[in-house]
């Protein structure tokens, strides 16, 4: 191997070790035996078929949001509004199903139209964030965060207002759909094989799009140097908007799957933080789509397994987020240190 390759591997392993060491210190400070705690997380993630199914249920929407983030990152954009775009997808999906559920339209077609409506919702919300940046000069980070709050408020309004359950307004969500309007699941589980197939197909398509297509190369050119891309004849703002639209479509698709394949209704927290988690996955894999599936699976496993920390050691289940954030932070710091080392050597 070349020296640069060994240096890269060394810094990545070093970042992982430092993240684990810091996590170990935090566990000791919290009064939890580190090795037993790590074992509990593994047991909670892979100790039974139900736990593995729960990981796959989490993995599916996380893959979709990661794929969307990779597209906007390629265009040099920080689409922090993935959460809101996913929520709008769930709202549009729920609205379409509510309109069609008592008609003579076949159930499979209602589900399909619901998911397509979710994609449209995500596209519209992402397009709004893109328009604010392109035509209004609003940084996409601030625009996206603001739209996230609006989307959450709209969800709560619908759940407690126009779409509330008959006779009661509950934060547990809207009235569940009829079972024939649920996305098919594996017997005895809540896992839809269709959601897995869609998610894997999407991340594969994004990998091919960014790696081997004319559109992907132009998108990367816009992300690397917008002015140079413009001088080369690439319509930069149009490509930026395309990136927002594609990302929003995938976020809306994730929201539609949450509604039709998992919860079968609209919930106030329907996004479950997958938009932000997709950002972490994308940063950890250094925006290389080929690593998205395994790293997203790792993050999903940490989310499910960390529940055991709350049960056995009275630690908050969000401790998994600490480890995920530390991994990303250490990898980013390690990458910066690696680049400085290579420049000096």
């Amino acid at each position: 191997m070349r020296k640069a390759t060994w240096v890269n591997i060394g810094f990545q392993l070093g970042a992982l070790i430092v993240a684990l060491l810091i996590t170990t210190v935090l566990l000791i400070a919290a009064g939890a035996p580190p090795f037993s705690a790590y074992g509990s997380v593994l047991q909670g993630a892979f100790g039974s078929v139900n736990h593995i199914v729960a990981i796959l249920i989490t993995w599916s929407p996380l893959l979709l949001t990661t794929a969307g983030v990779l597209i906007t990152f390629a265009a040099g954009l920080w689409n922090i509004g993935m959460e809101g775009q996913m929520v709008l997808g769930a709202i549009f999906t729920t609205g379409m199903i509510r309109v069609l559920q008592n008609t003579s339209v076949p159930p499979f077609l209602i589900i399909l139209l619901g998911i397509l409506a979710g994609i449209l919702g995500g596209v519209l919300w992402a397009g709004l964030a893109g328009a604010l940046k392109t035509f209004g000069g609003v940084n996409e980070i601030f625009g996206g965060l603001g739209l996230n709050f609006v989307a959450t408020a709209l969800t709560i309004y619908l759940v407690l207002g126009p779409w509330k359950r008959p006779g009661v307004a509950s934060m547990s969500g809207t009235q569940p759909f009829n079972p024939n309007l649920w996305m098919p699941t594996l017997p005895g589980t809540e896992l839809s094989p269709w959601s897995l197939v869609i998610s894997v197909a999407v991340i594969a398509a994004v990998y091919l799009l960014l790696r081997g297509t004319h559109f992907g190369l132009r998108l990367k050119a816009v992300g690397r140097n917008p002015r140079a891309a413009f001088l080369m004849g690439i319509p930069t703002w149009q490509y930026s908007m395309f990136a927002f639209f594609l990302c929003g479509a995938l976020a809306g698709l994730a929201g539609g799957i949450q509604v039709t394949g998992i919860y079968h209704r609209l919930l106030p927290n329907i996004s479950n933080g997958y938009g932000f988690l997709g950002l972490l996955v994308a940063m950890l894999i250094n925006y290389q789509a080929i690593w998205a599936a395994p790293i997203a699976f790792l993050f999903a496993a940490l989310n499910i397994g960390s529940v055991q920390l709350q049960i056995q050691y009275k630690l908050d289940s969000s401790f998994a987020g600490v480890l995920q954030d530390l991994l990303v932070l250490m990898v980013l710091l390690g990458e910066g240190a690696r680049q400085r080392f290579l420049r000096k050597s």
Side-chain angles (χ1 to χ4, degrees):
M1 288 187 182
R2 295 182 305 164
K3 177 184 176 181
T5 302
W6 284 111
V7 169
N8 186 36
I9 293 174
F11 274 98
Q12 288 178 344
L13 288 175
L16 176 61
I17 292 171
V18 171
L20 289 175
L21 286 175
I22 296 175
T23 306
T24 300
V25 171
L26 292 175
L27 285 171
I28 294 173
F35 293 107
S36 297
Y38 290 137
S40 297
V41 172
L42 289 174
Q43 180 67 23
F46 305 105
S48 71
V49 173
N50 288 338
H51 292 166
I52 296 174
V53 167
I55 292 173
L56 293 175
I57 290 173
T58 302
W59 186 52
S60 175
L62 182 55
L63 261 185
L64 291 173
T65 56
T66 301
V69 169
L70 289 173
I71 292 173
T72 47
F73 270 145
L77 301 166
W78 287 77
N79 187 11
I80 307 296
M82 285 283 287
E83 285 281 306
Q85 292 149 31
M86 189 173 174
V87 168
L88 259 291
I91 290 174
F92 272 55
T93 296
T94 303
M96 179 63 74
I97 293 177
R98 286 176 62 89
V99 168
L100 298 177
Q101 63 183 347
N102 294 320
T103 66
S104 59
V105 179
F108 79 91
L109 187 55
I110 293 178
I111 295 173
L112 176 60
L113 291 174
I115 291 177
L116 290 176
I119 293 173
L120 176 61
V123 168
L124 292 176
W125 212 241
L128 181 55
L132 286 173
K133 175 179 176 59
T134 303
F135 307 112
V138 178
N139 186 282
E140 70 271 19
I141 295 177
F142 300 114
L145 284 174
L147 290 173
N148 286 346
F149 288 115
V150 175
T152 300
L154 178 59
T155 306
I156 295 173
Y157 164 72
L158 291 172
V159 168
L160 299 181
W163 293 353
K164 68 179 181 181
R165 296 187 180 193
V168 60
S170 172
M171 289 294 285
S172 62
T174 58
Q175 183 76 11
F177 305 128
N178 293 327
N180 65 337
L181 298 178
W182 299 1
M183 190 178 288
T185 57
L186 295 176
T189 73
E190 295 180 349
L191 175 62
S192 170
W194 284 106
S195 66
L196 288 179
V197 170
I198 292 171
S199 301
V200 172
V202 164
I203 196 64
V206 169
Y207 170 77
L208 295 174
L209 175 73
L210 297 179
R211 184 177 177 84
T213 67
H214 187 65
F215 176 84
L217 292 175
R218 286 186 155 211
L219 198 65
K220 290 179 180 179
V222 172
R224 293 289 180 87
N225 193 324
R227 179 169 177 77
F230 177 77
L231 293 175
M232 291 172 59
I234 299 175
T236 53
W237 74 264
Q238 291 93 329
Y239 270 78
S240 295
M241 289 298 297
F242 283 151
F244 272 111
F245 289 146
L246 288 175
C247 185
L250 297 183
L253 175 60
I257 288 177
Q258 288 286 91
V259 169
T260 59
I262 300 176
Y263 297 111
H264 314 123
R265 64 189 186 277
L266 180 65
L267 298 174
N269 61 337
I270 193 74
S271 65
N272 277 340
Y274 291 138
F276 293 128
L277 201 56
L279 286 167
L280 293 180
V281 174
M283 287 189 286
L284 187 59
I285 63 178
N286 197 24
Y287 320 127
Q288 300 179 52
I290 193 170
W291 296 106
I295 299 302
F297 187 86
L298 170 64
F299 273 43
L302 286 173
N303 272 11
I304 300 302
S306 65
V307 175
Q308 293 299 314
L309 296 176
Q310 187 176 23
I311 297 173
Q312 298 187 24
Y313 304 104
K314 308 304 179 184
L315 296 176
D316 195 281
S317 59
S318 63
F319 192 84
V322 175
L323 180 55
Q324 292 163 352
D325 295 343
L326 281 173
L327 280 172
V328 174
L329 177 61
M330 291 302 109
V331 167
L332 292 176
L333 290 175
E335 177 63 17
R338 182 189 70 85
Q339 292 179 8
R340 288 176 62 90
F341 176 83
L342 290 176
R343 282 198 299 266
K344 291 181 179 180
S345 60

